[in-house]
């Protein structure tokens, strides 16, 4: 254990928030998990681990206050009636068990709530289509509806107090709430006392803050989460316009200001589009206008940046969602002087993709997320092996590195062999693409842990054959040999290879990742049937190296799955800004004489595009030859002392980096145990 750096002492100071006191400045702001009301035990265990890891305040995700705030099928928290109180108390107890404060964000989505489950009529300051694609319009709230809404909010605040929460939020952020929609002129076109001037549009916010104070009767702090900028210029709230006026008006009314950008795609920007602390310019004005504590976010993972935020008077509490997911023990590590051990968030938004697809979130850096309750996985602790074991891990990509790291933690003697001259596998490769250098943290954190461990032997430039593995004779072998992109066009749209592609000038994705000069002179066609981020990055690289670039996809949108990582609009904008031509709903149909033929997926109509190189991003083939060889030679295992051989990560089934890390982690936990026990998980009633 190291001594704590005194520069970080400031982060461990308690902060008074109205009637309660946060034990330190580490504040986990409300964030979605996809665990919500359907998986309350999972949610409670997940939040409890963060409190254990030292977050002085741990909040739930947004909690719908009423059936007309129904965000189904999203799995948010719910506080519709007293029956929800017991479920929410699980969260409170899990957080209080470690001496932290528990917060709850009360929410009514207004225009954002299509009420697919409850079938309630959607409500809005001014009627109009709900957000998203539902063919549903919200109705304009009458003054008596507003009074009714205030009653619901008061009742929810009382329930939150009864559940034991210490901080109760009024939520006016992310473009997702009624209170915020009243504030914003483009949603609020009323001509009564709740519309028109900013003071009128802010009336409901003021009333709801007062109601919430009343309802909790001084037992809880009342926080306001306010989006101070929507990055829409005059069309929306701006930090140097109405937001400053508004906070000036209500400065001392709440016990805490939680300020950020709206909508969610602006607030939770990925590393590809923003750096640590990216919200500072938008929120730094707030502390000048209020004496109440201020919390803000910005993917803070560096204790230096966090301490500077406090010392420079930008924030009183250092807010985090993603950094607290990637490393629930970040505060304790800083407090212990082990800040080099922080597992830094890489800003990939695989976590938001979990919530956006209505399942418990996953995290690229932290494979234990969502597994705390159902599998009993802890982000820091892992059961030791009952007896010493020698384990060989083949492949030093995300899966192999995580398997080796976790096995060392379990007390195994680990040999890790990597064929190439570099650790990290796909993550090293991909991190050299424009904007995602932070992804290398997946490699660097694991390598940092491994190089400090005496029981790990690490070998680069060691491509192992089955004969080598047998000769090494370890009891357990974990094969994490990865996958390669196919160059034959096979993928979702064309399930079989495109035979003509063999005669076309194809550049493999790996070749372009490794070397921008891999492309020949002339125009480039990037063909995306993968639909996540990679093809867009390769198109960006091609355009940045001066190639006329066409992005072709059978999908109706560019990179549709990145909608879940909140990046799709930014990706499309970036490609357009770089002059990339976008051709959606088309597939590859042929190549001849320097031109690729594209076919419309609806009509079959064909067009030709000048093309000197095709980069197909369609699907990957597992590199599992070593595993297959070992299986063929299974009869020889006992002679060499080999008991188990496990195939993990992309070599088993190509997927996300998060899935590879999880797979390597699961394999490490399974060593020496009945595999059935390690794959099974508890289910919530
Ligand atoms: P994953 O995402 O599953 O970790 P990657 O493709 O990122 O997969 O990493 C797999 C790694 O395994 C690559 O770095 C590759 O060089 C290495 N590898 C593949 N075959 C062998 C082998 N036979 N011996 C050692 N390393 C190998
Ligand atoms: Fe950070 Fe990615 Fe983990 Fe989300 S999934 S917390 S962005 S590392």
């Amino acid at each position: 254990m190291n001594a704590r750096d005194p520069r970080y002492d400031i982060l461990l100071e308690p902060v008074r928030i109205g009637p309660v006191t946060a034990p330190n400045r580490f504040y986990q702001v409300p964030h979605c998990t996809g665990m919500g009301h359907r998986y309350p035990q999972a949610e409670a265990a997940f939040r409890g681990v963060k409190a254990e890891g030292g977050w002085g305040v741990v909040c739930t995700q947004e909690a719908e206050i009423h059936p007309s705030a129904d965000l189904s099928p999203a799995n948010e928290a719910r506080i519709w009636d007293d029956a929800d109180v017991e479920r929410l108390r699980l969260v409170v107890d899990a957080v209080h068990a470690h001496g932290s404060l528990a917060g709850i964000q009360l929410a009514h989505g207004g225009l954002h709530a299509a009420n697919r489950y409850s079938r309630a009529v959607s409500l809005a300051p001014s009627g109009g289509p709900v957000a998203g694609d539902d063919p549903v319009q919200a109705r304009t709230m009458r003054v008596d509806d507003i009074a009714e809404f205030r009653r619901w909010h008061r009742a929810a605040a009382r329930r939150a107090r009864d559940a034991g929460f210490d901080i109760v939020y009024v939520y006016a952020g992310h473009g997702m709430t009624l209170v915020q929609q009243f504030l914003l002129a483009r949603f609020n076109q009323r001509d009564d006392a709740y519309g028109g001037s900013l003071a009128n549009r802010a009336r409901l916010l003021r009333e709801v803050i007062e109601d919430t104070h009343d309802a909790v009767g001084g037992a809880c702090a009342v926080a306001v989460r306010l989006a101070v900028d929507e990055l829409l210029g005059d069309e929306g709230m701006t930090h140097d316009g109405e937001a400053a006026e508004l906070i000036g008006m209500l400065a001392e009314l709440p016990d805490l200001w939680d300020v950020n950008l709206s909508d969610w795609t602006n607030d939770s920007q990925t590393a590809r589009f923003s750096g640590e602390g990216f919200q500072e310019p938008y929120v730094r004005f707030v502390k000048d206008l209020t004496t109440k504590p201020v919390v803000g976010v910005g993917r803070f993972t560096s204790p230096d940046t966090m301490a500077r935020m406090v010392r420079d008077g930008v924030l009183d509490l250092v807010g985090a969602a993603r950094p607290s997911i990637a490393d629930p023990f970040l505060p304790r590590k800083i407090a212990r002087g082990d800040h080099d051990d922080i597992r830094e968030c890489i800003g990939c938004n695989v976590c938001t993709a979990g919530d956006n697809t209505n399942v418990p979130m996953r995290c690229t850096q932290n494979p234990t997320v969502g597994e705390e309750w159902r599998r009993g996985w802890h982000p820091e602790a892992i059961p030791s092996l009952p007896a010493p074991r020698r384990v060989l891990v083949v492949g030093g990509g995300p899966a192999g590195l995580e398997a080796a790291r976790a096995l060392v933690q379990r007390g195994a003697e680990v040999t890790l062999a990597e064929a190439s001259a570099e650790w990290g596998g796909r993550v090293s490769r991909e991190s050299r693409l424009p904007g995602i250098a932070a992804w290398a943290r997946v490699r660097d954190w694991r390598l940092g842990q491994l190089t400090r461990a005496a029981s790990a032997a690490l070998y680069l430039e060691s491509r192992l054959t089955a004969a080598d593995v047998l000769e090494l004779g370890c009891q357990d072998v974990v094969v994490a040999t990865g996958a390669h992109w196919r160059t034959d066009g096979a993928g979702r749209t064309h399930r079989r290879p495109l035979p003509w592609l063999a005669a076309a000038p194809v550049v493999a994705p790996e070749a372009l990742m490794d070397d921008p000069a891999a492309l020949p002179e002339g125009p480039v066609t990037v063909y995306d049937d993968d639909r996540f981020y990679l093809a867009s990055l390769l198109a960006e690289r091609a355009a940045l190296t001066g190639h006329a670039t066409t992005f072709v996809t059978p999908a109706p949108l560019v990179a549709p799955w990145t909608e879940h990582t909140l990046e799709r609009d930014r990706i499309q904008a970036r490609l357009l800004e770089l002059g990339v031509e976008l051709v959606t709903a088309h597939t590859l149909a042929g190549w001849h004489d320097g031109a690729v033929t594209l076919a419309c997926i609806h009509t079959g109509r064909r067009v030709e595009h000048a093309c000197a190189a095709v980069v197909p991003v369609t699907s990957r083939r597992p590199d599992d030859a070593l595993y297959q060889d070992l299986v063929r030679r299974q009869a020889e295992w006992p002679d060499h002392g080999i008991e188990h051989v496990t195939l993990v990560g992309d070599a088993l089934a190509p997927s996300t980096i998060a899935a590879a890390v999880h797979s390597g982690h699961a394999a490490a936990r399974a060593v020496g145990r009945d595999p059935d026990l390690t794959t099974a998980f508890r289910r919530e009633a």
Side-chain angles (χ1 to χ4, degrees):
M1 194 187 290
N2 305 310
R4 176 166 73 244
D5 188 323
R7 284 176 307 164
Y8 309 144
D9 286 352
I10 196 168
L11 297 170
L12 296 159
E13 293 168 352
V15 179
R16 184 134 195 100
I17 308 173
V20 297
T21 301
N24 57 42
R25 296 184 190 269
F26 296 102
Y27 192 110
Q28 183 246 275
V29 294
H31 73 78
C32 300
T33 61
M35 298 176 213
H37 65 95
R38 290 200 283 276
Y39 308 119
Q41 305 270 11
E43 170 76 11
F46 169 80
R47 304 289 180 186
V49 161
K50 299 218 218 182
E52 185 190 349
W55 296 89
V57 177
V58 178
C59 300
T60 61
Q61 59 221 302
E62 58 177 331
E64 304 164 356
I65 63 167
H66 185 262
S68 64
D70 162 31
L71 298 170
S72 302
N75 188 14
E76 311 304 327
R78 217 162 241 185
I79 187 160
W80 289 5
D81 54 40
D82 292 344
D84 291 314
V85 172
E86 288 312 306
R87 278 191 286 275
L88 290 165
R89 195 172 283 136
L90 296 174
V91 172
V92 172
D93 291 347
V95 171
H96 283 174
H98 302 284
S100 302
L101 299 180
I104 182 167
Q105 179 171 258
L106 302 181
H108 192 297
L111 275 169
H112 202 74
N115 300 324
R116 290 176 179 171
Y117 167 67
S118 69
R119 300 180 70 169
V121 172
S122 300
L123 299 172
S126 303
V130 296
D133 299 328
D134 289 61
V136 167
Q137 289 207 189
R139 75 174 172 83
T140 303
M141 291 170 79
R142 298 182 306 264
V143 172
D144 59 323
D145 293 320
I146 295 175
E148 188 72 359
F149 162 71
R150 289 177 56 192
R151 243 195 338 272
W152 301 334
H153 203 281
R154 274 198 300 270
R158 271 195 299 273
R159 285 185 205 111
R161 178 204 59 197
D162 294 346
F165 284 101
D166 308 286
I167 301 174
V168 178
Y169 267 76
V170 176
Y171 183 22
H174 291 127
M176 290 182 187
T177 74
L178 198 53
V179 176
Q180 186 190 14
Q181 289 149 19
F182 268 84
L183 286 174
L184 300 170
R186 72 180 184 283
F187 295 120
N188 181 346
Q189 290 133 35
R190 303 176 71 93
D191 54 12
D192 61 5
Y194 289 93
S197 66
L198 180 63
N200 274 3
R201 283 181 276 127
R203 186 178 306 279
L204 182 62
L205 174 58
R206 177 190 290 278
E207 288 173 347
V208 173
I209 300 170
E210 287 165 352
D211 290 344
T212 308
H213 275 300
D214 250 21
V216 299
C220 319
V222 176
V224 170
R225 196 178 211 189
L226 179 74
V228 294
D229 210 304
E230 299 179 277
L231 308 187
L232 292 175
D234 291 343
E235 184 61 13
M237 182 74 72
T238 55
H239 68 287
D240 46 5
E242 286 199 336
E245 227 182 298
L246 178 67
I247 292 182
M249 263 190 254
L250 304 177
E252 303 300 311
L253 206 51
D255 296 312
L256 172 124
W257 286 99
D258 179 340
V259 285
N260 63 359
L261 294 176
S262 181
D263 56 10
W264 195 17
T265 66
N266 291 327
D267 187 28
S268 291
Q269 291 178 44
T270 57
R272 190 170 169 187
F273 297 100
S274 70
E276 183 181 36
F278 66 96
Q279 302 208 16
E280 180 186 347
Y282 301 98
V283 302
R284 65 174 313 145
F285 74 95
V286 179
K287 269 189 61 64
D288 291 339
L289 299 178
T290 177
T291 65
K292 303 293 177 171
V294 175
V295 59
V297 293
R299 242 176 42 247
F300 298 120
T301 59
S302 144
D304 290 318
T305 312
M306 296 180 207
R308 183 178 68 72
M309 287 295 140
V310 179
R311 263 199 309 272
D312 288 1
V314 181
L315 302 172
D316 299 291
L317 294 140
V318 181
R322 291 171 291 177
S324 73
I325 299 165
D327 195 342
F329 275 64
L330 179 151
R332 290 242 184 274
K333 289 175 185 175
I334 294 172
R336 291 198 303 249
D338 292 337
H339 46 269
D340 287 346
D341 285 333
I342 294 173
R343 192 172 45 233
E344 290 179 287
C345 167
I346 68 166
C348 64
N349 279 8
V350 159
C351 49
T352 69
D355 180 63
N356 278 329
T357 51
N358 312 317
V359 291
M361 66 160 65
R362 48 229 48 204
C363 169
T364 303
Q365 277 285 56
N366 178 3
T368 67
V369 162
E371 307 288 12
E372 298 88 349
W373 180 79
R374 67 178 191 181
R375 283 193 167 94
W377 288 4
H378 189 278
E380 296 295 305
I382 180 165
S384 298
L385 289 168
R389 286 179 90 87
R390 286 181 61 226
V391 185
L392 170 67
V393 179
V394 189
L401 285 170
E402 175 60 17
R405 184 210 65 78
L407 280 159
V408 163
Q409 197 185 357
R410 294 195 64 199
E413 197 185 304
V414 176
T415 301
L416 175 61
E418 162 57 42
S420 74
E422 179 184 47
W423 297 109
R426 66 179 288 195
V427 95
S428 294
R429 253 199 178 119
E430 292 180 20
S431 67
R432 287 191 284 267
L433 287 166
I436 58 168
W439 288 25
R441 293 169 175 180
V442 173
R443 171 198 66 204
D444 294 342
W445 180 75
R446 292 175 171 80
L447 212 48
Q449 303 290 306
L450 281 166
T451 46
R452 269 175 266 156
S455 54
L458 311 178
Y459 300 97
L460 284 173
E461 299 184 81
S462 305
R463 179 175 295 280
L464 301 191
T465 61
D468 298 329
V469 173
L470 289 167
E471 194 182 321
L472 280 163
C474 293
Q475 281 160 288
D476 297 279
V477 180
V478 178
V479 180
T481 43
H484 270 85
W485 288 96
R486 296 177 70 132
T487 52
D488 59 8
R492 283 199 167 84
T493 303
H494 305 286
R495 291 279 162 179
R496 288 179 295 185
L498 298 170
W500 56 265
L501 208 51
V506 169
V507 173
E510 286 90 351
L512 183 51
M513 280 189 257
D514 291 348
D515 180 10
L519 294 169
E521 286 287 302
V524 173
T525 297
V526 176
Y527 175 66
D528 181 23
D529 199 16
D530 170 55
R531 305 172 186 218
F532 198 12
Y533 57 87
L534 187 70
S536 69
L537 282 164
L538 294 175
E540 204 175 321
R541 163 157 284 181
L544 286 169
T545 46
H547 293 269
T549 305
T550 308
F551 183 99
V552 179
T553 177
L557 297 166
V558 169
W561 214 78
T562 62
E563 193 72 42
H564 303 310
T565 56
L566 311 176
E567 295 174 289
R568 218 202 57 74
D569 284 341
R570 281 188 166 80
I571 289 174
Q572 185 145 349
R574 179 163 288 177
L575 294 184
L576 289 169
E577 277 158 13
L578 288 170
V580 175
E581 186 183 354
L582 307 178
V583 183
T584 56
H586 278 72
T587 185
L588 293 182
W591 188 84
H592 68 92
D593 303 333
V596 67
T597 306
L598 308 178
C600 169
I601 60 161
H602 304 296
T603 63
R605 202 173 295 138
R606 293 176 172 227
V607 285
E608 296 213 336
H609 264 261
C611 169
V614 181
V615 185
V617 185
T618 57
S619 65
R620 285 179 291 157
R621 213 192 287 278
D623 292 332
D624 59 358
L626 172 66
Y627 177 76
Q628 302 300 350
D629 285 349
L630 287 168
V631 170
R632 266 190 295 276
R633 297 177 68 173
Q634 190 159 3
E636 297 171 55
W637 294 3
D639 292 345
H640 295 274
I642 295 178
E643 294 173 19
H644 299 282
V645 178
T646 314
L647 184 63
V648 301
D650 290 328
L652 175 63
S655 181
T656 57
I657 299 167
V661 171
H662 185 273
S663 172
H665 188 87
R669 287 193 182 251
V671 164
R673 296 179 66 192
D674 175 351
D676 284 346
L677 286 178
T678 55
T679 50
F681 57 78
R682 286 197 283 178
R683 292 174 59 199
E684 310 222 17

